[in-house]
């Protein structure tokens, strides 16, 4: 195993990383627990890794959804969103992945802020979990709002209850918890009592809605920007974000950013810039697999 220290405490590790646990949350969402002791040791809530499954794979940024320094493992929760993440579904316990770079990005700010609402939407529930846990362990009063499309997609409810003073679950179709979007209970709580900070992680449209919900209340709102990343070290410019007119890079200045300053409209357009090629890539892969 080769471990190099490079800029801002990033550990680059090249080795084979064994998957010791696979858990399927739904047909498209799954968890890997991977042996990566150096990364587990260095990881902080809010950081991510870039994974390359084999020598022909794309580099895929994934948030460190959990890390265990005793066991030397990191946990990744992955949604099959396109060709590469779909191919990753085929990995089983005992398989290895080629390389992992990380931990990357700035850790989340963790301190006793007072009352904090942690909002997770869909897959965003996984990355926000270590932030919630750290905030609780630092003495915050924590309220969790986690939202899913439907009951069968709900995961980690128990983990959230363990570190939340209050847990609210919402589903779009009302099949579990409250019916509706995460922004509904968020608005109700903000209108009813004092809240010191909101942390929202999920799809860009959800984070934009959360930031717009908190804006009139003047509550500091942190979002985690999952812009398209290539190198993950601030060199390519792919993940640039317009933060109140200033250009920032989500991979080194974030992923956490002030949700009231992010230009989400611009970001959402940029996020779709490769859609044509992503579709072609899925089609080509399907055809090759059928041969
Ligand atoms: C900091 C960060 C943390 C992330 N954490 C997670 C996570 O914990 N779990 C998870 O399932 N996904 C996570 N993602 C998103 C994940 O990286 C993409 O879903 C994945 O790269 C898609 O690759 P694909 O080939 O399967 O799909 P594609 O068909 O190539 O793309 C599907 C969609 O994913 C997005 N995407 C594509 N390539 C990238 C890229 N290089 N960087 C970011 N987004 C991309 C685009 O919106 C695209 O439309 C994270 C992204 C970032 C930037
Ligand atoms: S991914 Fe290249 S600058 Fe952020």
């Amino acid at each position: 195993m080769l471990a190099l220290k490079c800029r801002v405490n990033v550990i680059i590790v090249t080795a084979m990383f064994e998957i010791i646990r696979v858990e399927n949350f739904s047909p498209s969402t799954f968890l890997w627990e991977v042996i990566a002791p150096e990364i587990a040791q260095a990881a902080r809530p809010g950081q991510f890794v870039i994974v390359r499954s084999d020598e022909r794979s794309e580099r895929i940024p994934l948030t460190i959804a959990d890390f265990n320094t005793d066991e030397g493992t990191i946990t990744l929760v992955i949604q099959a969103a396109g060709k590469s993440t779909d191919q990753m579904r085929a990995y089983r316990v005992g398989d290895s992945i080629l390389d992992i770079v990380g931990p990357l990005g700035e850790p989340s700010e963790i301190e006793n802020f007072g009352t904090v609402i942690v909002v997770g939407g869909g897959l965003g529930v996984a990355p926000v979990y270590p932030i919630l846990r750290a905030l609780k362990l630092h003495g915050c009063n924590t309220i969790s709002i986690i939202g899913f499309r439907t009951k069968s997609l709900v995961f980690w409810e128990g983990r959230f209850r363990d570190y939340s003073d209050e847990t609210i679950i919402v589903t779009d179709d009302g099949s579990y918890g409250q019916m509706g979007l995460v922004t509904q209970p968020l608005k109700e709580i903000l209108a009813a009592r004092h809240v010191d900070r909101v942390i929202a992680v999920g799809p860009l449209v959800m984070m934009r809605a959360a930031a717009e919900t908190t804006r009139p209340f003047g509550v500091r709102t942190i979002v985690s920007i999952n812009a398209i990343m290539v190198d993950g070290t601030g060199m390519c410019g792919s993940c640039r974000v317009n933060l109140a007119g200033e250009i920032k890079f989500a991979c080194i200045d974030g992923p956490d950013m002030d949700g009231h300053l992010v230009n989400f409209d611009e970001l959402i357009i940029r996020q779709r810039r490769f859609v044509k090629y992503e579709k072609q890539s899925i089609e080509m892969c399907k055809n090759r697999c059928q041969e």
Side-chain angles (χ1 to χ4, degrees):
M1 179 181 291
L2 173 66
L4 302 170
K5 260 257 205 217
C6 80
R7 62 176 296 192
V8 273
N9 291 329
V10 172
I11 295 174
I12 298 178
V13 184
T14 54
M16 292 300 279
F17 294 86
E18 188 184 347
I19 299 172
I20 59 161
R21 185 160 66 99
V22 175
E23 207 180 316
N24 291 308
F25 293 143
S26 75
S28 62
T29 311
F30 54 97
L31 171 155
W32 283 354
E33 188 174 352
V34 181
I35 298 180
E38 288 88 354
I39 298 175
Q41 195 67 44
R44 297 290 173 268
Q47 291 187 298
F48 66 98
V49 290
I50 294 187
V51 168
R52 201 165 58 113
S53 312
D54 60 50
E55 63 283 346
R56 298 187 61 186
S57 302
E58 284 182 289
R59 305 174 76 243
I60 303 293
L62 297 168
T63 307
I64 303 171
D66 204 357
F67 47 92
N68 183 327
T69 45
D70 295 336
E71 306 286 331
T73 61
I74 59 168
T75 298
L76 307 171
V77 176
I78 306 156
Q79 185 167 44
K83 190 193 93 177
S84 301
T85 42
D86 194 48
Q87 288 174 339
M88 288 158 85
R89 284 195 304 155
Y91 283 70
R92 299 286 174 260
V93 170
D95 289 344
S96 291
I97 44 179
L98 182 64
D99 55 55
I100 303 182
V101 178
L104 296 162
E106 284 291 319
S108 299
E109 280 179 349
I110 304 290
E111 60 182 80
N112 187 348
F113 293 113
T115 297
V116 180
I117 304 181
V118 170
V119 185
L123 193 80
V125 165
V128 88
Y129 166 72
I131 303 173
L132 164 73
R133 180 175 60 189
L135 290 170
K136 187 72 230 165
L137 294 176
H138 277 73
C140 294
N141 175 40
T142 51
I143 304 168
S144 298
I145 305 173
I146 50 176
F148 301 88
R149 281 207 317 277
T150 189
K151 184 179 178 182
S152 61
L153 300 178
V154 176
F155 66 93
W156 284 9
E157 177 182 351
R159 286 189 180 220
F160 273 75
R161 290 199 186 279
D162 286 347
Y163 291 100
S164 305
D165 294 288
E166 291 168 59
T167 307
I168 298 165
I169 300 178
V170 298
T171 48
D172 292 2
D173 61 4
S175 53
Y176 193 63
Q178 296 178 20
M179 182 170 175
L181 303 174
V182 288
T183 43
Q184 287 161 2
L186 176 62
K187 190 174 179 182
E188 285 162 17
I189 297 169
L190 291 169
R193 52 187 136 148
H194 176 79
V195 171
D196 296 286
R197 181 175 280 236
V198 171
I199 293 135
V201 183
L204 289 174
V205 284
M206 179 233 125
M207 293 190 287
R208 177 175 63 184
E212 288 316 312
T213 304
T214 61
R215 194 188 295 277
F217 296 94
V219 177
R220 185 162 166 78
T221 300
I222 304 298
V223 294
S224 178
I225 299 298
N226 53 350
I228 294 181
M229 293 186 184
V230 180
D231 62 298
T233 58
M235 290 186 283
C236 71
S238 171
C239 67
R240 71 176 179 269
V241 180
N242 182 337
L243 206 67
E246 211 184 323
I247 295 302
K248 296 282 180 191
F249 298 118
C251 65
I252 50 166
D253 300 314
D256 284 4
M257 292 194 169
D258 183 334
H260 294 154
L261 301 184
V262 172
N263 185 330
F264 280 102
D265 295 342
E266 201 177 294
L267 198 55
I268 287 166
I269 293 169
R270 280 182 53 73
Q271 197 72 359
R272 295 185 185 132
R273 67 194 188 275
F274 299 121
V275 164
K276 183 178 144 197
Y277 305 102
E278 289 157 6
K279 282 187 184 151
Q280 281 173 0
S281 173
I282 290 174
E283 284 310 311
M284 278 166 64
C285 180
K286 264 192 213 155
N287 295 340
R288 234 180 283 134
C289 296
Q290 282 162 3
E291 278 167 11

